[in-house]
């Protein structure tokens, strides 16, 4: 089927792109557009053209699957060259979104008219590439180099109103977009207005420098960010054809880089993760009212994101003092959003208006879904679930936000284990996108579907997990942290490990993370597990000793690191080093230097091994789900694609050899996984 339809309306040619769902600028679209412009050029009775998107959007991006292969002609720059060379004006009529190649196409037209609410942006850098069809050359000719650097490097999407202020669009309209665009095209008949002929506005060099520095910091100096800055600056330095040729060459180079593959992998992995495997698909139960039990750190955050999604929220606490504290958290959040200009006061008030704080359990009867977020203590959770079971209406979905506890043991306390599942949010719950949706042994398919649907409604990335200690994320993180502790005993200092891993790209090193979350959480869990621990297992007691000395992390001013005035001292102090040296001595280890490469490989392999075990156990449904969890929830660098993607880039024989060595270094209890479950896509 043709993806571009033309229709002669009077003396104007309407060119409509129909390539659902996003009207991507795929090969057939480019062919269709080329033919349509040819028609416009050659039919003498036509005076102008209008390019419009059929359905819900203009061109909202490219077909990313094409990017991994040789691109077929005509490519987008050739289509754009035809539009610019055409003797008759072409108007781009925008609605929905004009992103990436879509915005580049629009910028090649003689005018742009947008429906109120349209979003415009160039997100290429977030996919490890740069705009390749003139975006870096035409955008700065309208908005200036500094603003273009900001937009291109961040992938920012701006609204039509903002685009009008920036002269990126010429008109913003409401109502019948096509009619407005046709009228504009007729008014332009006989003229040509190409952005390529315009000069880049003169600007303050300091403003450009500042935009550049901000982009470099935010983009962690990734290759695409550096390349995008250089390309945009070319717009002011080179004739446009040279600037375009340079941009295209860099685009072609970057699109086949490992980084771009990794980012595309993560993009597809996120979409895939949100879908339940075919065997588990069912219609979700309707959810309009959610009850959140516990208004602490997590409960308040969960309540906020449910309110933001337009749901009614019953927030239940054990007493008035705790309830007021929770209510205060929610109120402060909205106040700060309004003060920062990120939310309109009436929108914030409407959200808060849907909150019903209570200490009355009978209120649960109104909820379609209940999320428990009380202390991480089985006895407390059991007591709470008994009450939930007594008050929730039949058919309500019952969820626990536990981080580690057994969802089946919790479900088993109710008379309706089929209605129970885990919904593991990440902190801060109103910010972090990851949501682990935990399937208990008896969880019904429609309950699982409800969990996934709720995640999407809340703007999260829901990932299906089996019920195991720590689910996907915390179980892999524990294996990784354990390996990092082994490396302390083997000869590294915490700062060596943290630096090697932040150099790899992790947002924070494991010991800085431990200090931030508080060592006492892990300490409590270790004590609880002490009786069941196999004495032959390699157990690193450094953390316990730090806790015994009152070093519980940032909140006590010291943990692995010291924090005078709240700021981390980069190197560990003599007390910590003495504890670590003593631990090495007790294990009979002669301390040696571990370089960054060894630290990175050991830490990553520990993750990869645990990931393979999780897959073999069926806890994770797909290898790519693991990458989504680690990137979205644990600061794993997105441009490395996740641990599974990383492993697939390694030499297999070397990986197997390193894993054997890791097993030796890790000692008794380390289970070597069969990596083939995740290496073969
Ligand atoms: P928190 O201590 O901040 O809040 C717990 C709240 O539960 C308190 O306000 C308390 O008053 C309330 N509560 C306790 N018993 C109650 C009862 N019987 N009835 C009603 N309310 C009761 O804890 P948190 O950090 O918000 O953690 C809550 C849950 O979320 C835990 O299971 C935790 O493992 C999990 N979790 C925490 C994080 C995190 O980073 N903090 C992340 C993911 C999951």
């Amino acid at each position: 089927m043709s993806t571009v339809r033309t229709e002669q309306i009077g003396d104007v040619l309407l060119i409509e792109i129909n390539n659902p769902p996003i009207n991507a600028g795929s090969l057939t679209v480019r062919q269709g557009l080329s033919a349509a412009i040819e028609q416009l050029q050659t039919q003498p009775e036509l005076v102008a053209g209008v390019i419009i998107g059929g359905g819900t959007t203009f061109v909202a991006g490219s077909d990313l699957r094409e990017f991994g292969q040789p691109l077929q002609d005509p490519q987008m720059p050739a289509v754009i060259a035809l539009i610019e060379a055409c003797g008759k004006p072409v108007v781009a009529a925008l609605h929905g979104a004009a992103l990436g190649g879509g915005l580049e196409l629009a910028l090649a037209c003689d005018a742009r008219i947008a429906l109120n609410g349209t979003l415009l942006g160039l997100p290429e850098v977030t996919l490890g590439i740069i705009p390749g069809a003139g975006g870096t050359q035409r955008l700065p000719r309208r908005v200036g180099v500094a603003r273009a650097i900001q937009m291109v490097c961040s992938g920012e999407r701006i609204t039509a109103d903002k685009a009008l202020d920036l002269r990126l669009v010429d008109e913003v309209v409401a109502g019948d977009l096509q009619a407005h665009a046709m009228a504009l095209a007729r008014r332009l008949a006989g003229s040509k207005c190409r952005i390529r002929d315009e000069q880049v506005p003169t600007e303050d060099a300091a403003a450009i420098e500042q935009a550049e520095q901000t982009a470099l910091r935010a983009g962690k100096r990734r290759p695409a960010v550096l390349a995008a800055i250089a390309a945009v600056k070319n717009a002011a330095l080179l004739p446009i054809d040279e600037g375009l040729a340079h941009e295209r060459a860099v685009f072609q180079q970057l699109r086949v880089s490992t980084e771009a593959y990794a980012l595309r992998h993560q993009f597809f992995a996120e979409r895939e993760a949100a879908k339940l495997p075919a065997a588990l698909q069912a219609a979700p139960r309707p959810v309009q009212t959610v009850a959140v039990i516990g208004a602490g750190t997590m409960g308040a955050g969960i309540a906020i994101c449910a309110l933001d999604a337009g749901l009614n929220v019953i927030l239940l606490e054990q007493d008035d003092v705790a309830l007021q504290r929770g209510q205060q958290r929610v109120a402060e959040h909205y106040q700060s959003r309004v003060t920062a200009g990120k939310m309109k006061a009436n929108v914030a008030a409407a959200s808060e208006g849907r909150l019903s704080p209570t200490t009355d359990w009978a209120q649960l009867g109104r909820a379609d879904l209940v999320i428990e977020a009380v202390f991480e203590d089985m006895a407390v959770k059991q007591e709470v679930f008994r009450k939930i079971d007594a008050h929730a209406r039949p058919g309500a979905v019952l969820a626990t936000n536990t981080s580690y506890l057994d969802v089946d043991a919790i479900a088993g306390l109710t008379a309706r284990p089929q209605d129970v599942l885990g919904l593991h949010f990440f902190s801060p719950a109103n910010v972090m996108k990851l949501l682990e949706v935990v399937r208990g042994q008896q969880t019904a398919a429609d309950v699982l579907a409800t969990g996934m649907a709720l995640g999407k409604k809340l703007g999260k990335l829901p990932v299906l997990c089996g019920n195991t200690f720590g689910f996907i994320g915390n179980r892999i993180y524990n294996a990784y942290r354990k390996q990092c502790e082994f490396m302390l005993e083997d000869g590294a200092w915490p700062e060596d490990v943290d630096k090697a891993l932040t150099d790899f790209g992790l947002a924070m090193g494991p010991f800085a993370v431990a200090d931030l979350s508080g060592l006492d959480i892990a300490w409590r869990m270790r004590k609880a597990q002490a009786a069941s621990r196999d004495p032959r297992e390699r157990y690193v007691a450094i953390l316990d000793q730090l806790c015994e000395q009152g070093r519980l992390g940032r909140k006590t001013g010291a943990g692995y690191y010291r924090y005078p005035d709240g700021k981390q001292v980069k190197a560990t102090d003599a007390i910590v080093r003495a504890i670590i040296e003593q631990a090495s001595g007790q294990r009979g280890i002669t301390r040696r230097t571990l370089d960054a490469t060894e630290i990175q490989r050991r830490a990553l392999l520990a993750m990869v091994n645990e990931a393979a075990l999780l897959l073999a156990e069926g806890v994770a449904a797909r290898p790519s789900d693991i990458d989504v969890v680690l990137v979205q929830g644990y600061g794993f660098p997105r441009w490395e694609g996740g641990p599974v993607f990383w492993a697939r880039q390694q030499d297999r024989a070397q990986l197997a050899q390193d894993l054997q060595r890791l097993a030796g270094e890790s000692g008794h209890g380390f289970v070597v996984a069969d990596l083939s479950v995740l290496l073969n896509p």
Side-chain angles (χ1 to χ4, degrees):
M1 204 196 85
S2 170
T3 50
V4 175
R5 176 182 79 86
T6 56
E7 182 185 347
Q8 192 172 335
I9 302 177
D11 50 4
V12 176
L13 185 67
L14 180 76
I15 306 169
E16 189 186 76
I17 302 172
N18 287 299
N19 188 22
I22 61 159
N23 282 334
S26 325
L27 177 64
T28 58
V29 169
R30 301 193 299 267
Q31 286 166 333
L33 285 173
S34 302
I37 300 300
E38 187 72 27
Q39 184 186 348
L40 173 63
Q41 174 70 10
T42 50
Q43 271 181 234
E45 69 278 21
L46 292 171
V47 297
V50 167
I51 303 180
I52 198 166
T56 56
T57 185
F58 190 68
V59 177
S62 302
D63 180 354
L64 296 187
R65 295 194 195 274
E66 279 188 352
F67 282 11
Q69 297 149 17
L71 293 179
Q72 284 179 275
D73 290 330
Q75 297 181 29
M76 198 51 107
V79 177
I80 282 173
L82 282 178
I83 295 171
E84 287 184 330
C86 177
K88 299 167 189 175
V90 180
V91 170
L94 316 178
H95 75 301
L99 299 176
L103 180 54
E104 293 181 295
L105 177 66
L107 290 173
C109 292
D110 297 82
R112 284 143 297 281
I113 183 167
L115 201 58
N116 222 332
T118 307
L119 291 175
L120 298 90
L122 293 170
E124 287 84 349
V125 167
T126 62
L127 290 163
I129 55 176
I130 66 169
T136 66
Q137 303 306 295
R138 292 188 185 85
L139 182 71
R141 281 177 160 74
R142 278 287 163 105
V143 308
V145 169
R147 188 71 178 88
I149 288 178
Q150 189 190 341
M151 260 186 86
V152 174
C153 293
S154 67
E156 175 192 2
R157 291 165 190 214
I158 59 170
T159 57
D161 283 339
K162 220 173 193 181
L164 186 67
D165 291 344
L166 290 169
R167 298 190 315 119
L168 260 192
V169 298
D170 306 278
E171 278 183 46
V172 177
V173 295
D176 188 341
L177 174 67
Q178 182 179 315
H180 285 293
M182 299 295 278
L184 175 61
R186 277 195 192 99
R187 287 203 300 277
L188 291 179
S191 69
K192 206 57 194 158
C193 175
R194 308 185 310 177
I195 291 181
R196 65 149 40 232
D197 300 327
E198 297 173 9
Q199 297 294 317
V200 175
T202 34
E203 267 167 286
D204 187 4
I208 298 178
E209 171 69 19
Q210 198 188 348
E212 198 174 332
Q213 290 312 322
T214 308
L216 285 172
R217 253 196 321 277
K220 305 210 164 163
R221 306 188 71 87
R222 305 308 311 155
V225 174
L226 291 164
I229 291 171
V232 170
K233 285 168 88 176
N234 278 345
L237 302 172
L238 302 176
I240 187 157
D241 287 319
E242 280 180 43
L244 288 173
H246 171 271
E247 177 204 76
R248 190 69 184 166
V250 174
F251 161 82
Q252 295 287 27
Q253 219 175 11
L254 288 177
R255 83 181 165 84
V256 288
S257 64
T258 309
E259 177 157 333
Y261 275 111
L263 290 163
R264 287 198 289 272
H265 160 78
Q266 185 58 217
F267 177 87
F268 289 121
E270 285 170 10
R271 285 190 171 187
E272 193 67 14
K275 297 179 201 149
L276 279 171
L280 293 175
Q281 280 174 12
R285 297 182 188 175
V287 174
Q288 197 45 55
T289 299
V290 168
V292 180
I293 321 274
T297 313
M298 295 307 289
I302 296 167
I304 289 166
C305 61
L307 291 170
D308 284 347
L311 299 171
N312 303 318
V313 177
I314 300 161
L315 187 60
L316 189 145
E317 260 290 352
Q318 53 186 349
D319 56 50
D320 288 333
V321 176
L323 184 63
Q324 268 171 22
R325 214 171 31 227
Q327 232 178 314
Q328 184 74 12
R329 276 195 169 111
V330 177
E332 278 168 9
H333 164 83
Y334 283 113
Q335 213 155 44
S336 70
R337 298 279 295 167
V338 172
T339 310
K342 296 199 167 135
M343 196 178 243
K344 293 212 170 92
N346 60 334
V347 178
S351 285
E352 272 195 87
R354 275 182 271 103
L355 181 73
S356 321
T358 187
T359 51
D360 174 12
W361 288 82
Q363 294 297 320
L364 286 193
R366 294 196 287 122
D368 304 310
L369 185 142
V370 180
I371 306 174
E372 164 279 309
V374 302
F375 305 131
E376 184 76 347
D377 177 316
M378 196 45 136
V380 178
K381 301 251 192 224
Q382 285 179 333
E383 146 100 28
V384 164
F385 259 82
R386 275 195 204 100
K387 285 190 180 156
I388 295 174
D389 196 21
H391 292 96
R393 68 161 173 78
V397 170
L398 314 182
T400 171
N401 180 45
T402 180
S403 307
Y404 290 99
L405 300 174
D406 181 354
V407 173
D408 287 329
I410 293 172
L413 288 165
T414 70
R416 37 176 145 171
Q418 74 284 356
D419 291 341
V420 179
L421 84 170
L423 287 178
H424 184 216
F425 289 79
F426 287 70
S427 181
N430 54 310
V431 176
M432 295 289 283
K433 292 200 75 173
L434 182 63
L435 175 68
E436 288 182 321
V437 177
V438 185
R439 180 188 182 199
Q441 208 143 43
Q442 297 190 57
T443 308
D446 62 343
V447 168
L448 215 50
T450 310
M452 299 297 279
L454 177 76
K456 280 183 234 168
K457 172 120 186 137
L458 301 185
K460 306 284 177 208
L461 279 168
V463 177
L464 176 67
C465 301
N467 177 30
T468 184
F469 179 81
F471 315 124
I472 295 180
N474 280 339
R475 203 173 119 182
I476 293 183
Y477 194 81
N478 272 353
Y480 153 84
R481 196 180 49 197
K482 215 166 164 184
Q483 192 56 233
C484 292
E485 290 182 340
F486 293 163
M487 290 193 267
L488 295 188
E489 277 188 352
D490 290 345
W493 300 121
E495 58 268 40
D496 301 332
V497 176
D498 280 354
K499 178 160 189 326
L501 292 164
T502 50
D503 283 353
F504 173 76
L506 276 142
M508 281 173 91
F511 300 112
V513 169
D515 274 0
L516 187 63
S517 12
L519 305 188
D520 48 331
I521 301 176
W523 191 31
R524 223 175 303 130
M525 194 145 68
R526 285 159 173 248
K527 283 194 275 195
Q529 291 168 340
S532 59
R533 193 177 298 124
D534 183 340
R536 292 166 299 172
E537 208 178 280
R538 180 169 179 187
Y539 179 79
V540 179
I542 296 166
L543 179 141
D544 311 47
Q545 284 167 17
L546 289 171
C547 290
E548 279 158 21
Q549 297 200 9
R551 296 180 70 129
L552 303 182
R554 249 174 210 271
K555 61 185 169 190
T556 56
Y560 286 99
Y561 301 99
R562 284 193 312 110
Y563 299 87
D565 320 319
K567 270 199 80 174
Q568 183 196 322
V569 176
K570 287 267 175 282
T572 39
D573 61 21
I575 301 172
V576 173
R577 291 189 174 202
I579 292 174
I580 295 174
E581 278 170 341
Q582 192 193 18
S584 307
Q586 277 173 356
R587 200 168 294 283
I589 292 172
T590 310
R591 294 178 63 78
R592 64 182 178 88
T593 305
L594 278 74
D595 67 14
T597 313
E598 179 178 359
I599 293 171
Q600 289 165 358
R601 274 192 87 76
R602 278 180 69 171
L604 290 167
L605 257 180
M607 284 191 200
V608 170
N609 188 66
E610 201 65 24
L613 292 175
L614 284 173
L615 271 168
E617 291 166 25
V619 173
R622 323 171 178 92
S624 59
D625 285 359
I626 290 170
D627 285 345
V628 174
V629 170
L630 270 292
V631 168
Q632 288 293 336
Y634 296 82
F636 195 99
R638 196 178 168 85
W639 60 88
E640 292 287 350
V644 174
F645 183 88
W646 176 85
R648 288 179 182 166
Q649 308 311 306
Q650 310 303 310
D651 176 81
R652 296 218 176 171
Q654 186 66 49
L655 210 55
Q657 198 181 320
D658 288 351
L659 188 55
Q660 285 308 325
R661 194 167 144 203
L662 190 74
E665 286 160 338
S666 307
H668 185 84
F670 185 92
V671 182
V672 177
D674 173 3
L675 297 189
S676 65
V677 287
L678 51 74
L679 292 179
N680 304 323

